[in-house]
Amino acid sequence: MDCNVVKDLIPLYIDGCCSEESAIIVEEHLKECSVCREIYEDMKNAPDVITVAQGVIKTNKINSLKASVIQSASLFLSFILVIIGVGAESKIPSGLFNGFWALNLVVPATGFMLSLANWYFIKTYKNKRAFSAGALVSTLGIIACGYFWAGFHYEFFSSGVLQGMFSDGIFDGLYRLFAFAGVGIVLSAVLSVLSWKLSGKYAGLLGKEQ
């Protein structure tokens, strides 16, 4: 039997779709021809390759879903914090405590929320470490800009509030500053570290190497 004919019959033989006579011919040929026998073994084991590929696809889909959950949960958390902060700030009349909730909750949460936009550009980063560093820097940068904006918005710079805090000395001024905005400073640090950690997890799930 010609090898080319047997090669055409092998797929049908494996699937059990050929006639009994053809099956006998293929079996007899495989006993004598090592080349066709090797082709037969490769074709016979092909479903294992397909199964592995399907497993990889399934794993990638699960990891993508986990990454989406992390991103959505982070966005939801920051959004809730912003809403709470804005609501609390709106209830404080103009005066000494005006801007308290903005500095301690709204600015850090907004900075964290806006930094999540960087996650949509993950493909532009070479690796997981670079992406995590970019997330950390962007979070800190946006929060810093937020505090700078709050300083002008609440007239901390022009009204002499900051100068007044440090009128009795540097240590007393730092104590007053931390007493007024210490929660926001700590929260900013926590959210920045959280952004760094979550972005690393997010990148790992999407297949970014170290």
Side-chain angles (χ1 to χ4, degrees):
M1 176 64 67
D2 184 69
C3 287
N4 291 327
V5 176
V6 174
K7 290 177 184 178
D8 292 336
L9 290 174
I10 287 177
L12 299 175
Y13 174 75
I14 293 174
D15 294 336
C17 298
C18 62
S19 64
E20 186 176 348
E21 291 79 6
S22 297
I24 293 173
I25 292 173
V26 172
E27 290 172 357
E28 292 296 329
H29 183 82
L30 292 178
K31 291 178 182 178
E32 302 173 356
C33 182
S34 60
V35 175
C36 290
R37 188 163 57 248
E38 184 177 352
I39 294 174
Y40 164 74
E41 292 296 335
D42 291 340
M43 289 186 178
K44 186 179 178 181
N45 294 327
D48 296 334
V49 177
I50 295 174
T51 301
V52 172
Q54 289 175 342
V56 172
I57 293 174
K58 184 177 180 180
T59 301
N60 289 339
K61 287 183 178 179
I62 293 175
N63 287 341
S64 295
L65 178 60
K66 290 180 179 179
S68 297
V69 170
I70 291 176
Q71 188 177 31
S72 299
S74 300
L75 183 61
F76 180 76
L77 172 64
S78 57
F79 185 69
I80 291 298
L81 291 177
V82 170
I83 291 177
I84 294 174
V86 171
E89 182 63 32
S90 65
K91 297 179 181 180
I92 297 179
S94 299
L96 181 62
F97 289 98
N98 189 31
F100 176 82
W101 288 104
L103 294 180
N104 289 287
L105 192 54
V106 177
V107 169
T110 301
F112 178 73
M113 181 172 62
L114 292 179
S115 70
L116 294 176
N118 181 57
W119 290 22
Y120 291 102
F121 302 98
I122 185 172
K123 292 183 179 180
T124 63
Y125 291 87
K126 293 183 178 180
N127 51 49
K128 176 180 174 180
R129 184 176 299 176
F131 179 69
S132 297
L136 177 63
V137 171
S138 62
T139 303
L140 288 172
I142 295 173
I143 291 176
C145 291
Y147 277 120
F148 192 72
W149 168 85
F152 283 102
H153 180 76
Y154 292 100
E155 300 180 347
F156 293 142
F157 300 128
S158 60
S159 64
V161 172
L162 291 179
Q163 292 86 337
M165 285 185 175
F166 292 91
S167 60
D168 295 330
I170 184 68
F171 293 106
D172 186 66
L174 290 175
Y175 172 78
R176 293 181 183 179
L177 179 62
F178 196 81
F180 186 79
V183 174
I185 295 172
V186 173
L187 183 59
S188 296
V190 171
L191 291 178
S192 296
V193 173
L194 185 63
S195 176
W196 175 48
K197 291 291 186 180
L198 288 179
S199 62
K201 181 68 174 179
Y202 179 81
L205 289 171
L206 293 183
K208 280 288 184 181
E209 300 293 336
Q210 291 288 345

